[in-house]
Amino acid sequence: IFNDLFGGVVYAGIDTDRHKYPIGSGRVTFSNAKSYMKAVAAAFIEIKTLKFTKKVQVDPYLEDALCSNCLLKQGPYFCRDLSCFKYYCRYCWELQHSLEVIRHHKPLMRNIRGLTRARTNHHDYNVGRFRQDPVRDLAEQFGQTFGLQG
């Protein structure tokens, strides 16, 4: 599906728990930046079949990174808006995003298992996911999950 929409898909998988049950997230790896940026810019895609309709949120992969502005501190806040598309420390986020034209941007944060990061009180946060569990083939998992196998 992602390859049909954005092209350049080299890997797609659904994250599962230790019992191989889908946990509601997955990953797609692209071979080029253009396809990746098109997918991230879409933010959501709707998958329609005869048996179900599913809206899927598309978030960028978040990694540990330094603040893209000061290059001194960890950048736990990521701005997915294409006009920014950078990592920020708290200070640089608040400084940069105090500007009226981008104040509406919402930061994504990496969700690290067993660790809750501090958040400012005046923002509504979307949380990115980071998992290292094995994943299963997307087509096989969709088929098993939604009874689409022949």
Side-chain angles (χ1 to χ4, degrees):
I1 295 170
F2 276 75
N3 197 49
D4 290 345
L5 291 172
F6 311 113
V9 172
V10 293
Y11 172 82
I14 293 179
D15 295 328
T16 61
D17 65 16
R18 62 188 175 128
H19 303 291
K20 304 297 180 201
Y21 189 80
I23 61 169
S25 63
R27 296 184 241 190
V28 177
T29 303
F30 296 92
S31 63
N32 62 79
K34 183 179 178 184
S35 296
Y36 171 74
M37 293 303 285
K38 281 171 52 178
V40 171
F44 290 92
I45 62 167
E46 194 167 59
I47 300 169
K48 292 182 180 183
T49 72
L50 294 175
K51 295 190 176 196
F52 70 91
T53 297
K54 181 78 175 161
K55 191 173 190 177
V56 176
Q57 184 172 349
V58 181
D59 285 334
Y61 176 79
L62 302 179
E63 50 194 10
D64 268 338
L66 288 177
C67 174
S68 302
N69 275 7
C70 70
L71 301 174
L72 299 172
K73 297 180 183 176
Q74 281 296 105
Y77 303 107
F78 182 81
C79 188
R80 73 170 295 141
D81 191 280
L82 298 181
S83 65
C84 293
F85 214 74
K86 294 179 185 173
Y87 291 93
Y88 295 92
C89 64
R90 181 176 175 167
Y91 175 79
C92 289
W93 174 274
E94 290 180 356
L95 183 68
Q96 185 77 20
H97 288 84
S98 64
L99 301 171
E100 188 64 37
V101 295
I102 60 172
R103 188 172 292 165
H104 65 281
H105 293 182
K106 302 284 186 231
L108 292 175
M109 292 182 71
R110 234 178 101 188
N111 183 23
I112 302 172
R113 193 178 299 159
L115 177 66
T116 304
R117 292 204 169 157
R119 297 179 175 175
T120 57
N121 293 331
H122 61 281
H123 291 298
D124 176 28
Y125 293 96
N126 296 315
V127 178
R129 294 203 62 143
F130 176 77
R131 296 191 41 91
Q132 292 181 324
D133 293 343
V135 293
R136 298 178 78 176
D137 179 73
L138 181 64
E140 176 186 311
Q141 192 64 49
F142 257 72
Q144 286 179 357
T145 303
F146 299 106
L148 302 175
Q149 290 181 326

